[in-house]
Amino acid sequence: MLDWWEKNFATCELGDRRLNERAMSIGYALSLGFGKALSEIFSGATVLKRTYEFLLTQKLNLPK
């Protein structure tokens, strides 16, 4: 799954260093915990909340 992470997240460019870092860390965690619930992958409440907030960010215009 780490190959998937590298292909999809390692070179992301969202226009803001912090967003890039957040996307990369979320993608890395998802690749390690593939198939698990987000609450299992992100064990801390704060990290889980920030992940949901990031995924709902409307500023992101990702290519399809």
Side-chain angles (χ1 to χ4, degrees), residues 25-26 29-30 33 36-52:
S25 67
I26 290 171
L30 290 173
K36 295 182 181 177
L38 290 180
S39 59
E40 292 180 77
I41 296 171
F42 303 101
S43 57
T46 302
V47 177
L48 180 60
K49 180 181 177 185
R50 288 186 178 179
T51 299
Y52 277 117

Side-chain angles (χ1 to χ4, degrees), residues 15-42:
D16 182 303
R17 178 187 53 82
R18 294 169 297 166
L19 289 176
N20 293 343
E21 290 173 0
R22 177 75 48 89
M24 288 188 282
S25 67
I26 290 171
Y28 184 74
L30 290 173
S31 69
L32 293 177
F34 184 77
K36 295 182 181 177
L38 290 180
S39 59
E40 292 180 77
I41 296 171
F42 303 101

Side-chain angles (χ1 to χ4, degrees), residues 7-8 12-13 16 27-28 33 44 47 60:
K7 179 181 175 186
N8 291 287
C12 72
E13 182 55 55
D16 182 303
Y28 184 74
V47 177
L60 302 178

Side-chain angles (χ1 to χ4, degrees), residues 1-11:
M1 287 308 299
L2 290 179
D3 291 336
W4 174 85
W5 173 80
E6 288 179 358
K7 179 181 175 186
N8 291 287
F9 289 94
T11 60

Side-chain angles (χ1 to χ4, degrees), residues 13-15 19 57-64:
E13 182 55 55
L14 303 175
L19 289 176
T57 300
Q58 294 184 8
K59 289 191 270 185
L60 302 178
N61 293 321
L62 303 175
K64 296 179 182 180

